[in-house]
């Protein structure tokens, strides 16, 4: 290869797409490292504190697409304090200086400010796509800046962010000359929406294919939008609440048949059963359906719509669908790949209406099922064993039994055998979340069989340090391990310290690790940040006085080349 | 209903309050959820602030049903975003109370009623008649009940299903006299 000119090597690298492959390629020799770094266009940073932004951009000056993730996953469940970190601004500032050709930015679980958004909007003349997922810290003013300054913007995708509402005018800031939008998703906004501005924007963007409206968008507005956007592939419906006796409803009923390209439907925030009838004409071509924000739609009405969706590949639904509804999914949706069943009753007061029966039905009826998120009140080993036999292709398997530590109700046994069957049968499993009563045995199985496992989430499980040790010693490809409320302590933490440098991160909360254990870990592994999150305001002032035996409430350990971070708040100590 | 009123004061106030609810329709008092002391706020979202403010201004009635079951933090593992969406839905659906102002042309002051307490238009009409009886005078009962909806438009009460009305009604206005008669001509 040293005889090939660089241009040829670079051309060959064009065919090497995945980050991992490109990373590998760059380690072969210095020449390849150089060619690779200058030709790299996309960079993915899984942990914003693993490396500093300047270093990334100095190495890859030609990037046009950057993706960064911030807070640990358990931040989704309020386990990470509000001002822990994950700030986007340093990345935007560095990119503005070093990568002015940036076209796409994707941020997940980060703190983004209005100032950051304005800097972003003004700094990149070719900017095309902004995707923010589970972020916070900005308002509609920041969106107004994006609308104003990003000429040629193609995509603005806001998923599940906490956005402060400073008024509905941000949509009006898209200039009349903006006609390039392909994807606009503002479903997470809570405030009022300027219907007129929205309608005009949609009307002048002929390439718009994905539009996801917030709950504040009325059906009257939706009708006007649908009249101008018949090429939509992906629609989030907005409120979808309308009285079936009105003209507005009749217009809605007549709108959907003309959508020949519509494949994805979501939204339905306030939808009532009669409104749902409006979408029946498109059901037969749908591949993605998300009804998980529509609590007013009960089992029977869900069944009526699902009966029509025989091309469905992805279904997100509430547990009001019931086992009966899941049986209909099983008999209708033969192309189903991903199923998510969320609880209606968030606080799990025991009234959920899906059980192991529903999951069994889907596993036997849907041969292509490979991704599952299932909230239920109970599960049995027998059911899991059968599911494992029916569906050996699972890549993601997340089961949440709402009552922590609940055993198999039929045999009163822990669910070790059931989950063991899953990991034994599903050779390609990459992501696994466990629940129910579990002993160290399940971790022995996971360590032995889950060779491709990359992410494992554990709660209220295990008996001793052995459990965690089995996992750390076994799962070769483990990248993220997150544990809460398990009896794992310093022995487990320190058994295989080298392992943590092969992983992105480890989270442990409400376990038995002590300050002494963490100090030992930090001393042995200088290229890890061992962060202690101490929310107890009474003790964090007395850091020096805490004994090594003091049990730590929350720790977050991650590999980094950037050293301890300089933006940590008072309650985070990096050892 | 100002913020910051203590519980003891509220009891005394409630004893003398003129309420229009049907007998037994007063929702049970729920204790405010206890917060763990010295714990860091995990998410200072605007909604939580609003919910807290709503609790104090609505006279201490808890808007959440959380106090009824011991809660494990972060369990079940559902994204805050989804939980908040559902709480917003539940808050409007459950015993939070849908208090709206009621004004009547010519009356010196406004009243407030809880729409949740009524099952339909007839009960509402009867309650309003009762409430404003003292202001009717001898002019007779030519009036129209109107409401301001989410878009700020003045609408005649009674056109849409009850649930849709309660979810979109921001305030009520009783129009009396000639204006009312003109407006009602086509609908009655």
């Amino acid at each position: 290869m040293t005889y090939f000119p660089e241009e040829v090597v670079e051309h060959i690298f064009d065919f090497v797409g995945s980050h991992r492959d490109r990373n590998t390629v760059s380690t072969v020799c210095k020449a390849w490292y150089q060619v690779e770094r200058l030709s790299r266009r996309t960079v993915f940073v899984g942990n914003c504190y693993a490396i500093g932004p300047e270093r990334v951009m100095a190495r890859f000056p030609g990037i046009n697409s950057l993706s960064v993730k911030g807070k640990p996953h358990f931040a989704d469940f309020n386990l990470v304090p509000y001002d822990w970190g994950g700030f986007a601004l340093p990345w935007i500032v560095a990119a503005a200086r070093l990568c002015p050709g940036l076209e796409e930015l994707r941020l997940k679980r980060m703190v983004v400010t209005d100032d950051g958004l304005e800097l972003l909007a003004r700094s990149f003349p070719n900017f095309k796509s902004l995707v923010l997922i589970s972020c916070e810290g900005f308002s509609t003013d920041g969106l107004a800046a994006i609308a104003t300054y990003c000429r040629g913007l193609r995509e603005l995708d806001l998923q599940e962010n906490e956005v402060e509402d400073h008024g509905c005018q941000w949509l009006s800031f898209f200039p009349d000359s903006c006609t390039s939008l392909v994807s606009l998703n503002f479903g997470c906004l809570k405030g009022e929406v300027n219907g007129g501005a929205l309608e005009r924007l949609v009307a002048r963007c002929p390439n718009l294919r994905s539009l996801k409206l917030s709950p504040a968008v009325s059906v009257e507005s939706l009708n006007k939008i649908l009249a101008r956007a018949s090429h939509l592939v992906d629609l989030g419906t907005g409120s979808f609440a309308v009285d079936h006796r009105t003209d507005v409803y009749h217009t809605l009923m007549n709108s959907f048949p003309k959508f020949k390209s519509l494949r994805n439907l979501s939204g339905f925030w306030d939808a009532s059963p009669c409104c749902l009838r409006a979408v029946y004409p498109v059901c037969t071509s749908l591949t993605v359906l998300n009804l998980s924000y529509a609590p007013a739609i009960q089992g029977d009405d869900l069944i009526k719509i699902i009966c029509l969706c025989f091309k469905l590949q992805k279904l997100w639904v509430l547990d009001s669908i019931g086992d009966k509804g899941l049986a209909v999914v099983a008999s209708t949706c033969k192309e189903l790949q991903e199923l998510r069943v969320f609880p209606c009753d968030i606080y799990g007061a025991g009234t959920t209406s899906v059980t192991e029966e529903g999951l069994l039905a889907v596993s036997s009826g849907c041969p292509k099922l490979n991704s599952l998120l299932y909230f239920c009140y109970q599960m049995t080993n027998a059911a899991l064993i059968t599911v494992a036999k029916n569906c050996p292709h699972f890549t993601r398997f997340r089961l949440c039994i709402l009552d922590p530590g609940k055993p198999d109700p039929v045999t009163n046994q822990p669910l070790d055998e059931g989950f063991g069957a899953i990991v034994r049968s599903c050779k390609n499993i990459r992501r696994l979340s466990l629940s129910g009563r579990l002993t160290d045995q399940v971790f022995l199985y996971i360590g032995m069989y889950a060779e491709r496992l990359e992410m494992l989430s554990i709660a209220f499980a295990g008996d001793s340090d052995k459990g965690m040790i089995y996992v750390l010693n076994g799962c070769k490809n483990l990248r993220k391990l997150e544990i809460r409320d398990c009896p794992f302590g310093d022995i487990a933490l320190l058994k295989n310290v080298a392992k943590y440098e092969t992983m992105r991160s480890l989270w442990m909360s409400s376990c038995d690790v002590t300050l002494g254990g963490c100090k030992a870990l930090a001393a042995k592994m200088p290229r890890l940040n061992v962060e202690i999150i101490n929310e107890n305001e009474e003790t964090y002032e007395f850091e020096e006085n805490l004994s090594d035996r003091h049990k730590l409430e929350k720790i977050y350990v991650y590999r980094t080349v950037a050293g301890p971070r300089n933006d940590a708040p008072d309650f985070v100590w990096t050892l | 209903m100002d913020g910051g009123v203590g519980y003891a004061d509220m009891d005394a106030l409630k004893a003398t309050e003129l309420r229009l609810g049907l007998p037994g329709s007063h929702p049970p008092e729920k204790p405010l959820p206890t917060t763990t002391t010295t714990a860091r706020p995990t998410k200072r979202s605007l909604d939580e602030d609003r919910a807290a403010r709503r609790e104090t201004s609505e006279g201490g009635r808890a808007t959440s049903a959380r106090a009824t079951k011991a809660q494990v933090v972060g369990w079940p593992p559902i994204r805050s975003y989804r939980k908040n969406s559902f709480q917003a839905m539940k808050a409007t659906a459950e015993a939070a109370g849908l208090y709206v102002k009621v004004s009547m042309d010519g009356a010196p002051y406004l009243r407030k009623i809880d729409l949740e307490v009524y099952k339909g238009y007839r009960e509402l009409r009867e309650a309003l008649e009762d409430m404003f009886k003292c202001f009717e005078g001898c002019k007779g009962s030519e009036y129209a009940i109107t409401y301001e909806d989410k878009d700020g438009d003045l609408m005649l009460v009674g056109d849409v299903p009850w649930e849709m009305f309660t979810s979109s009604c921001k305030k009520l206005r009783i129009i009396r006299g000639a204006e009312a008669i003109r407006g009602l001509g086509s609908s009655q």
Side-chain angles (χ1 to χ4, degrees):
Chain A
M1 284 291 276
T2 41
Y3 304 110
F4 284 179
E6 280 184 7
E7 302 80 61
V8 175
V9 176
E10 184 180 325
H11 185 64
I12 295 171
F13 288 178
D14 275 349
F15 297 99
V16 179
S18 88
H19 301 292
R20 288 206 205 141
D21 289 343
R22 289 204 72 126
N23 289 347
T24 309
V25 141
S26 69
T27 60
V28 168
C29 63
K30 281 205 178 120
W32 280 31
Y33 176 87
Q34 282 302 336
V35 174
E36 198 283 317
R37 69 174 266 263
L38 295 172
S39 61
R40 177 92 71 121
R41 297 288 166 255
T42 311
V43 165
F44 167 71
V45 179
N47 174 4
C48 65
Y49 292 120
I51 185 166
E54 294 80 11
R55 194 161 159 178
V56 173
M57 289 166 206
R59 179 174 168 188
F60 304 113
I63 55 170
N64 54 37
S65 172
L66 176 65
S67 184
V68 188
K69 289 176 149 183
K71 299 186 195 185
H73 173 239
F74 274 178
D76 284 354
F77 316 131
N78 281 10
L79 287 175
V80 177
Y82 172 74
D83 29 9
W84 172 85
F87 303 106
L89 192 63
W91 293 87
I92 299 173
V93 166
R97 196 163 58 85
L98 299 168
C99 298
L102 195 68
E103 295 178 13
E104 295 174 10
L105 183 64
R106 188 186 163 104
L107 302 174
K108 186 167 183 179
R109 276 187 219 105
M110 296 193 79
V111 177
V112 181
T113 59
D114 287 342
D115 288 342
L117 288 175
E118 180 158 353
L119 179 62
L120 171 70
R122 289 181 189 264
S123 306
F124 307 107
N126 293 338
F127 198 75
K128 295 193 171 64
S129 164
L130 179 64
V131 180
L132 300 177
I133 305 173
S134 298
C135 295
E136 60 184 355
F138 62 102
S139 75
T140 47
D141 291 342
L143 300 180
I146 297 286
T148 307
Y149 299 110
C150 294
R151 302 295 154 93
L153 188 71
R154 293 208 195 132
E155 176 173 30
L156 178 60
D157 186 358
L158 306 171
Q159 297 177 33
E160 302 192 353
N161 302 291
E162 291 287 343
V163 185
E164 236 182 78
D165 179 36
H166 286 183
C168 63
Q169 294 314 314
W170 66 277
L171 273 169
S172 324
F173 282 81
F174 282 105
D176 290 342
S177 53
C178 172
T179 57
S180 48
L181 279 178
V182 173
S183 168
L184 177 63
N185 172 7
F186 58 93
C188 60
L189 294 188
K190 298 186 204 96
E192 292 302 309
V193 172
N194 183 334
L198 175 61
E199 289 149 31
R200 287 189 294 277
L201 179 62
V202 171
R204 64 178 185 271
C205 291
N207 298 325
L208 194 66
R209 294 293 171 267
S210 173
L211 179 64
K212 292 184 175 163
L213 308 170
S214 65
V217 178
S218 66
V219 176
E220 285 88 341
S221 227
L222 178 66
N223 279 340
K224 292 191 196 133
I225 289 167
L226 294 182
R228 310 300 296 261
S230 54
H231 296 297
L232 281 180
V233 172
D234 187 356
L235 174 68
T237 65
S239 143
F240 221 63
V242 68
D243 180 359
H244 65 273
R245 294 171 294 179
T246 61
D247 287 339
V248 175
Y249 175 75
H250 289 298
T251 311
L252 185 69
M253 287 295 278
N254 292 328
S255 297
F256 280 89
K258 67 179 193 320
F259 279 87
K260 304 289 175 226
S261 324
L262 200 58
R263 297 288 172 268
N264 291 19
L265 266 183
S266 59
F268 301 105
W269 303 98
D270 302 315
S272 60
C274 64
C275 298
L276 216 51
R277 269 189 249 132
V279 307
Y280 287 179
V282 293
C283 283
T284 51
S285 20
L286 285 184
T287 53
V288 175
L289 180 60
N290 182 352
L291 286 163
S292 65
Y293 287 100
I297 311 288
Q298 292 303 306
D300 290 336
D301 296 298
L302 285 171
I303 288 173
K304 284 194 201 130
I305 191 173
I306 285 169
C307 275
L308 303 168
C309 299
F310 57 85
K311 290 203 185 140
L312 214 57
Q313 292 173 17
K314 194 150 104 163
L315 174 65
W316 290 22
V317 80
L318 292 170
D319 62 5
S320 46
I321 191 174
D323 288 335
K324 190 169 135 207
L326 288 176
V328 175
V329 172
S331 59
T332 312
C333 308
K334 296 304 182 186
E335 302 297 315
L336 196 70
Q337 293 175 29
E338 177 177 320
L339 174 67
R340 296 196 191 188
V341 181
F342 295 95
C344 250
D345 180 2
I346 301 283
Y347 298 105
T351 57
T352 55
S353 47
V354 297
T355 68
E356 70 273 17
E357 295 301 323
L359 182 58
L360 270 171
V362 175
S363 75
S364 72
C366 303
K368 299 190 181 173
L369 193 65
N370 60 44
S371 174
L372 180 77
L373 172 60
Y374 197 77
F375 285 84
C376 58
Y377 188 54
Q378 65 179 45
M379 185 52 59
T380 63
N381 280 311
L384 283 175
I385 291 168
T386 308
V387 167
K389 232 190 324 228
N390 292 339
C391 290
H393 305 299
F394 272 120
T395 52
R396 293 181 207 91
F397 190 87
R398 294 190 280 166
L399 180 67
C400 180
I401 300 162
L402 287 159
D403 203 353
K406 185 176 166 130
D408 179 330
V410 170
T411 61
N412 220 35
Q413 292 297 304
L415 291 174
D416 302 333
E417 296 307 312
F419 280 105
I422 294 283
V423 293
R424 235 191 330 268
S425 164
C426 305
K427 309 248 184 282
N428 288 325
I429 199 158
R430 294 198 311 262
R431 183 169 181 182
L432 181 63
S433 295
L434 308 172
S435 60
R437 171 91 189 95
L438 295 163
T439 71
D440 289 342
Q441 185 68 14
V442 73
F443 299 112
L444 175 65
Y445 291 143
I446 291 173
M448 271 171 67
Y449 297 110
E451 285 189 356
R452 301 252 170 93
L453 191 67
E454 295 177 6
M455 181 169 177
L456 180 62
S457 309
I458 309 172
F460 305 101
D463 300 319
S464 76
D465 288 317
K466 282 206 249 159
M468 184 168 162
I469 293 171
Y470 290 143
V471 171
L472 290 174
N473 286 348
C475 302
K476 290 194 314 239
N477 287 301
L478 194 65
R479 291 191 296 121
K480 287 184 280 186
L481 180 58
E482 45 185 28
I483 304 172
R484 63 162 296 178
D485 292 277
C486 296
F488 304 144
D490 295 338
I491 296 176
L493 182 72
L494 295 170
K495 192 74 176 177
N496 185 354
V497 293
K499 178 76 174 172
Y500 304 126
E501 268 195 17
T502 69
M503 289 166 55
R504 185 187 297 172
S505 64
L506 166 71
W507 168 279
M508 292 180 76
S509 56
S510 305
C511 296
D512 293 339
V513 294
T514 68
L515 181 58
C518 286
K519 281 183 180 171
L521 176 60
K524 283 192 194 173
M525 303 293 292
R527 284 188 303 193
L528 297 178
N529 276 355
V530 179
E531 284 191 11
I532 295 171
I533 298 167
N534 188 351
E535 297 172 279
N536 190 339
E537 289 174 5
E538 287 157 4
T539 60
Y540 76 67
E541 275 148 26
F542 304 101
E543 183 185 332
E544 284 85 50
N545 298 341
L546 276 185
S547 112
D548 279 1
R549 285 196 308 275
H550 178 83
K551 276 201 189 157
L552 299 173
E553 191 46 42
K554 293 178 183 174
I555 68 168
Y556 184 50
V557 179
Y558 54 92
R559 67 180 177 190
T560 180
V561 295
R565 54 187 178 109
N566 54 16
D567 61 3
D570 305 344
F571 55 86
V572 172
W573 314 332
T574 307
L575 291 177
Chain B
M1 298 276 185
D2 298 324
V5 181
Y7 279 113
D9 296 339
M10 280 316 304
D11 284 346
L13 202 61
K14 276 198 160 58
T16 58
E17 187 183 12
L18 293 175
R19 289 190 50 84
L20 285 180
L22 295 176
S25 63
H26 186 104
E29 290 289 348
K30 286 188 187 133
L32 282 171
T34 51
T35 51
T36 53
T37 51
T38 71
R40 217 142 230 297
T42 44
K43 196 128 189 158
R44 215 171 291 135
S45 78
L46 201 60
D47 281 332
E48 281 175 296
D49 287 338
R50 281 200 189 126
R53 270 183 268 126
R54 210 190 309 137
E55 284 180 40
T56 49
S57 70
E58 301 283 15
R61 281 154 107 219
T63 52
S64 79
R66 272 177 270 169
T68 50
K69 179 172 163 123
Q71 293 301 308
V72 178
V73 173
W75 192 266
I78 294 171
R79 280 196 178 172
S80 327
Y81 172 78
R82 182 174 285 278
K83 267 189 179 155
N84 291 344
S85 307
F86 277 34
Q87 271 165 28
M89 288 180 202
K90 278 197 161 178
T92 50
E94 282 181 355
L98 274 180
Y99 280 94
V100 296
K101 289 184 188 171
V102 187
S103 63
M104 176 152 134
D105 294 347
Y109 51 78
L110 281 65
R111 300 299 302 275
K112 250 195 173 171
I113 59 167
D114 178 359
L115 291 179
E116 296 268 274
V117 146
Y118 309 107
K119 295 202 185 57
Y121 290 119
R122 195 169 57 82
E123 283 175 21
L124 174 67
R125 206 173 291 274
E126 285 168 1
L128 289 173
E129 275 178 14
D130 220 45
M131 191 183 238
F132 286 98
K133 221 171 11 210
C134 42
F135 301 121
E136 246 167 61
C138 346
K139 295 240 171 88
S141 46
E142 294 291 354
Y143 63 87
I145 308 178
T146 64
Y147 70 100
E148 189 182 305
D149 74 353
K150 275 196 276 211
D151 299 321
D153 296 323
L154 194 67
M155 317 284 295
L156 184 68
V157 161
D159 285 337
V160 301
W162 176 253
E163 287 75 23
M164 182 174 283
F165 162 70
T166 54
S167 66
S168 58
C169 172
K170 291 278 166 273
K171 54 164 83 147
L172 287 164
R173 190 181 148 203
I174 303 175
I175 302 181
R176 301 178 62 216
E179 248 188 284
I181 300 167
R182 244 190 295 129
L184 287 177
S186 52
S187 63
Q188 286 192 336

